[in-house]
Amino acid sequence: RVKRGVKVVHLVRNPFTMAVSNFNYHAQYPTPENWVKTIDPCITEFFNDHQTYPDLTLPTLLAPPPNPNTGSQPPPILTPDDFQSLSSTCRLHYRTRPRLKESSY
């Protein structure tokens, strides 16, 4: 049997240029993506009929890996209260003023 290798090309972008590209793309007016104006980003989405984003991500965000040098456990990246605060802030500000009705986010 002949062994066949796998050839892989792994491209890595500079995070700064990615951030600038992201900003430039999302700063376009009008937005090139129509869904931005039709989907409410503040609604709670359910996956598998019962799981939310916090349900899916909190296990990882609450327990980041220990520091390899010290073995100590770092503080959580986000907590359930942080998710609640983000959600409340979103609902507080999302399209609440006339000028924001046509804004892209």
Side-chain angles (χ1 to χ4, degrees):
R1 204 167 176 189
V2 178
K3 287 188 174 183
R4 297 180 189 232
V6 176
K7 295 179 182 176
V8 176
V9 175
H10 182 175
L11 302 174
V12 179
R13 287 183 63 189
N14 178 325
F16 177 76
T17 61
M18 285 179 62
V20 171
S21 175
N22 185 30
F23 173 80
N24 287 332
Y25 180 78
H26 291 285
Q28 294 179 71
Y29 185 82
T31 180
E33 299 171 332
N34 289 328
W35 64 266
V36 171
K37 295 182 182 179
T38 60
I39 295 179
D40 181 351
C42 303
I43 62 169
T44 301
E45 291 187 62
F46 291 93
F47 304 91
N48 301 324
D49 296 323
H50 65 282
Q51 293 178 301
T52 63
Y53 278 123
D55 296 333
L56 297 170
T57 58
L58 275 174
T60 301
L61 298 173
L62 284 172
N67 182 319
N69 298 323
T70 64
S72 64
Q73 185 70 35
I77 297 168
L78 282 175
T79 65
D81 289 341
D82 295 328
F83 270 103
Q84 184 58 44
S85 176
L86 288 168
S87 179
S88 297
T89 301
C90 183
R91 284 191 296 278
L92 179 67
H93 295 290
Y94 180 67
R95 295 187 176 168
T96 54
R97 296 184 209 134
R99 289 182 58 200
L100 296 177
K101 297 286 185 201
E102 293 296 315
S103 295
S104 60
Y105 294 91

